[in-house]
Every structure is written in C-alpha cells, then in structure tokens.
Amino acid sequence: MDLGVRWKLHGDGRTPAPGAVVRPDERLSWPRTAGLGAQHVVAMFGASFVAPVLMGLDPNLAIMMSGVATVIFLLATRGRVPSYLGCSLSFVGVAAVIRAQGGSSATVTGAVFVVGVALFLVGLAVQRFGARIIHAAMPPIVTGAVVMLIGFNLAPVTASTYWPQDQWTALLVMVFTALAVVCLRGFWSRIAIFLGLVFGYGISWVFDRVFGRIHSVDASGRLTDHWRLDLSAVGRADWIGLPNFHGPSFEWSAILVALPVVIALVAENAGHVKAVGEMTGDPLDDRLGTAISADGVGSMLSTAVGGPPNTTYSENIGVMAATRVYSTAAYWAAAGFALLFGLCPKFGAVVAAIPGGVLGGITVILYGMIGLLGAQIWLNAGVDLRNPLNLVPAAAGIIIGVGNVTLEFTDTFSLSGIALGTLVVIIGYHALRAMAPAHLKSQEPLLDEGTSSYGSGSDSASGSGSDSAGGQRAKS
C-alpha cells in the first residue's frame, strides 16, 4: 500500500531551478528538508499555541497532538495533500461559552470530540455521495453567516477578559500586529501573530522594569497589583517531560454549543483542498472526503487525551507559496519537531506566561478576522444580500449569535449564542426557501466559486479531499 512516504530527490537536492517546483512526492536534501520543516513549525506557532491558551488547554499537549494529527492526515491522503494540522481557532468561542456555563476542560474537550466525530462522518458522506451534499445543506449564505457569528461571538471575551488586564500594552500590540500583517511581505507577514506575541512579551518586560507592577484585574478577574510578565513558572518547569493528559467529559449542553463549528470546518476543508490543488497542479477532487475525515480523526484523537481540535493552516500554505516547495517530507519533519516541543514543559510554561494585555491586543484583530471570513465566503460566492431569502435568516442568526440571545425550553435546558444562532440560520434558510416564490430561489455556487468543480463530473460520487485555506486565513 502506498502511504506517500517515498520521495524522489528533486534535481541536485539543493535549490529548485528558476520556475520549477518541488512536488509533494519529491524532496530536497534531508538537511534542507529539515530546515523547511522547522520553518513550517515557526509559521504555525502563532495560532497553534495561542488557541489552546485561549481555550484553557495545555499548549504543550496542543503542539504535540498537532504533530500526531499531521502524520494521520499525511498518511490518510497518501501524501498528496501537503498540509500541517494545528489547533483550530474556530473553537475558541465555543470553549469560552462552555466555561462560562461552568464547564471544565474535560467538558470542553468532550464537546469538541463529538465535533470531530461529526466531521469524520461528513467526510465519509462526501466520499460516498460527493460534495453536492454539502451544498444542499450548507449553501454559502449559511456557511458565511455561521462563520461570522462564531467569530464575532468572541468580542466580549476580548473586551471583558484580556483587554482590561493591561489596556496600553493591548493597544500597542494591536497596532504592531496590524502593521506586521499589512506592511511585512511574504513569510514574515504569515507569522504576524507570532511576531505580535514576541513584541508583546518585550513591551511587557520593559513596562515592568520602568513602571513597576500594574494595578488591574489579573487572569482570574481579581483587581490586584501584579507583574505584567510573570516568568516564575518557567524557572520551575522541567526541560523534558510529558504534557498534562486528561479524558473528555460529555454534556449535551456543551455538545450543542460546539456542533455548529462543523460547518466552519467543512468550509475550511473544501477551500484548502482547492488551494493546494491549484498550487501543486494536481487536481485533488478525489481527496476531499478523505481529508475531511482525516481532520476529524486527528481532532478526535487529540481531544480524547485532553488536547484541542486541529485543522489545516493557511500559514503553511503561505510558506509553500513563498518557497515553491510542496514536498510532504517537509511536513513529516515539521510533525517531528512538534512532537519534540510537546515534550518540553519549559516551552509550555513560556507560552502559558503570555500576559493578558498581549492577548488583548492579539485577539482584537484575530477574532475580528475570524468573523470577517464569513463575509469573504459571501463575496467569493457572490451571495446577494438584497435577496430576502438570504438576508433574513442570516441577519437573525448573526444577531442571536453575537448578542448571545437565549431560548429557554425548561429550567434545565436552553439554547443560546452560537448554537441557537446556527440553528436559526440553517432551519430559517431552508424553511423560507421551501415557501419562497420561484424568483427568489436562484441557484448558488458550491461553498465558494473555487470549489464548484467538486460537485460535478464523474468524481463527484467518490470525491474526497481536505480543508479550507479560507478558514485558516483568519489565523494569520
């Protein structure tokens, strides 16, 4: 069985010829391949360890399981889809809602485990029936609205939790990160979040030396005098050790909050496959379902031991675009480096010490970018918001999701925020469509115009593939 772990040496193994590309089944020399793998790790670092911190999970375990998930993905897709799987930011809002309801880390990972199961089943369905089943349930108006309400639902987290801890550091980090995203070029712009974190660390250290302790709320919400940057835990941490594992706990209220994220992940997968296929020149329609299922399996395995869910990263697509090296061998090297980082508790302590004000500046941009990805989905698909069939369910669902509106059924069961908003968008759209006059029911493209080919042709009945660059653009 071909598992995609054999690579031909490209040219002399040093530098590709002008205009040439290193294909997924090729590689450069092993030292250069290892260097590219390290570059992929740096590219994914910013989002992949910020996300577990925001979710209240162990960043060491997150990095380790991202390596495991990447290996699973590469094996499942037979080395045809070069991608790195890192912690998904789509679940940050879900984790915040679950914890606000009194849920623990086990409750969070249990809910997300179920999302992984659902994603795996969607992938199997796409393999069997083709991507048109995605279009039937989740046209672009629905997908965009759900992604938008997931992102914007996070706004209160920044406003009430992170920003108040150190407003001036947050402001400076926000400005620096914005400049890095816009003004830097190539690889450096892809790691703007990481650079913003490094800048925030430095500013916090300088402010502590110049101004002393800050009088503000700390991470627990208590008003105290405290250091902005507390590295005491770093000194106590070991250099080598296992991360903190824990099992999941399943609660229906948490699961219902988390399930809508499946829609965002499916949209991400479809766009990602198309983007990688265009870059490598290898049509990947037949890999769509396989990649979605592999994403689901990676997330299930990670959350089963207490880690966060995973999804493919566009930051790493950017590295491939800049280097024109699409070798999956580099991703195997990146996965190996991630496993090693996961075994270093001192690294996790450094991540856990990120000051709240720094996270405030980062999340102002990051959460907004996640939400605006929904608008990008609408633009790519040419969604007409003048059509009331599109406008009404999207408008109602977004306000419910962003405003955290609650619908109480009994004293012990209610729906609110992301879960209720998603149901309103999906059920509202399909119910209104069933009753709408014919002139409002224009055919919409599949997810976005870049994936319309997945639903046509002989491959549609057996198509399988991967996830979206779209969802990951929000991470960088």
Side-chain angles (χ1 to χ4, degrees):
M1 180 183 294
D2 181 15
L3 297 177
V5 293
R6 296 180 180 179
W7 302 274
K8 297 173 292 186
L9 187 66
H10 178 88
D12 61 2
R14 296 181 179 179
T15 305
V21 300
V22 180
R23 297 182 56 78
D25 61 347
E26 298 178 329
R27 64 170 177 83
L28 298 177
S29 66
W30 284 116
R32 286 173 173 77
T33 296
L36 287 166
Q39 190 174 18
H40 279 298
V41 171
V42 172
M44 68 85 177
F45 249 32
S48 208
F49 69 64
V50 169
V53 169
L54 298 177
M55 295 174 68
L57 301 176
D58 184 354
N60 269 66
L61 183 56
I63 296 296
M64 174 185 286
M65 296 311 296
S66 75
V68 173
T70 298
V71 168
I72 292 172
F73 185 89
L74 293 173
L75 290 174
T77 58
R78 303 291 191 266
R80 286 183 58 196
V81 187
S83 297
Y84 192 91
L85 270 66
C87 182
S88 174
L89 281 163
S90 298
F91 291 90
V92 172
V94 165
V97 171
I98 293 173
R99 290 186 182 279
Q101 295 174 347
S104 63
S105 293
T107 310
V108 171
T109 53
V112 177
F113 178 90
V114 176
V115 175
V117 174
L119 190 64
F120 172 73
L121 295 176
V122 169
L124 294 182
V126 171
Q127 291 183 59
R128 175 64 180 85
F129 301 106
R132 286 197 178 279
I133 63 169
I134 300 175
H135 171 52
M138 298 180 296
I141 182 61
V142 170
T143 305
V146 172
V147 172
M148 186 175 290
L149 69 86
I150 288 173
F152 291 159
N153 179 268
L154 298 168
V157 177
T158 293
S160 61
T161 302
Y162 299 122
W163 191 278
Q165 293 184 45
D166 187 354
Q167 61 176 359
W168 296 113
T169 295
L171 180 63
L172 289 173
V173 170
M174 180 191 73
V175 171
F176 176 89
T177 305
L179 290 172
V181 171
V182 174
C183 299
L184 296 180
R185 295 289 182 269
F187 171 73
W188 294 106
S189 68
R190 293 285 176 178
I191 61 169
I193 297 296
F194 177 74
L195 296 177
L197 289 170
V198 173
F199 173 81
Y201 254 86
I203 285 295
S204 297
W205 183 85
V206 170
F207 281 4
D208 279 344
R209 304 285 81 75
V210 174
F211 302 112
R213 299 190 180 200
I214 185 174
H215 183 73
S216 69
V217 295
D218 59 14
S220 65
R222 294 181 294 110
L223 186 63
T224 63
D225 290 321
H226 60 277
W227 296 112
R228 297 167 181 82
L229 180 61
D230 183 2
L231 297 176
S232 57
V234 177
R236 297 192 300 268
D238 295 328
W239 280 103
I240 299 175
L242 290 173
N244 297 314
F245 298 99
H246 68 78
S249 175
F250 302 99
E251 297 182 13
W252 274 111
S253 58
I255 292 170
L256 290 174
V257 170
L259 274 176
V261 181
V262 171
I263 297 174
L265 296 181
V266 171
E268 288 177 1
N269 275 284
H272 182 84
V273 167
K274 183 64 177 179
V276 173
E278 290 179 347
M279 291 168 59
T280 61
D282 179 18
L284 297 174
D285 298 24
D286 62 333
R287 296 288 94 188
L288 178 58
T290 300
I292 292 176
S293 293
D295 189 359
V297 171
S299 292
M300 289 161 58
L301 184 60
S302 178
T303 53
V305 296
N310 292 286
T311 191
T312 54
Y313 270 23
S314 68
E315 288 91 334
N316 299 94
I317 294 179
V319 172
M320 290 191 294
T323 61
R324 300 179 67 81
V325 177
Y326 308 119
S327 172
T328 54
Y331 284 100
W332 278 91
F337 284 126
L339 291 172
L340 292 176
F341 274 117
L343 294 173
C344 180
K346 195 171 288 291
F347 161 77
V350 171
V351 174
I354 298 174
V358 176
L359 292 176
I362 293 292
T363 55
V364 162
I365 295 176
L366 199 60
Y367 293 169
M369 291 170 68
I370 295 172
L372 289 176
L373 173 64
Q376 185 63 50
I377 291 174
W378 288 343
L379 290 172
N380 289 345
V383 172
D384 184 5
L385 291 179
R386 296 169 299 179
N387 185 337
L389 178 57
N390 296 329
L391 180 62
V392 172
I398 289 171
I399 290 300
I400 288 173
V402 175
N404 216 31
V405 174
T406 299
L407 184 64
E408 296 183 358
F409 294 90
T410 68
D411 292 340
T412 57
F413 179 73
S414 64
L415 289 172
S416 63
I418 294 173
L420 181 58
T422 299
L423 288 175
V424 167
V425 174
I426 296 176
I427 296 175
Y429 173 81
H430 288 291
L432 290 174
R433 186 175 179 83
M435 296 181 286
H439 71 277
L440 295 181
K441 302 178 183 180
S442 59
Q443 182 66 31
E444 294 180 281
L446 175 64
L447 286 180
D448 62 61
E449 61 186 5
T451 62
S452 58
S453 64
Y454 292 140
S456 61
S458 59
D459 291 335
S460 64
S462 60
S464 69
S466 161
D467 39 291
S468 133
Q472 298 308 322
R473 291 187 198 105
K475 296 186 182 65
S476 59

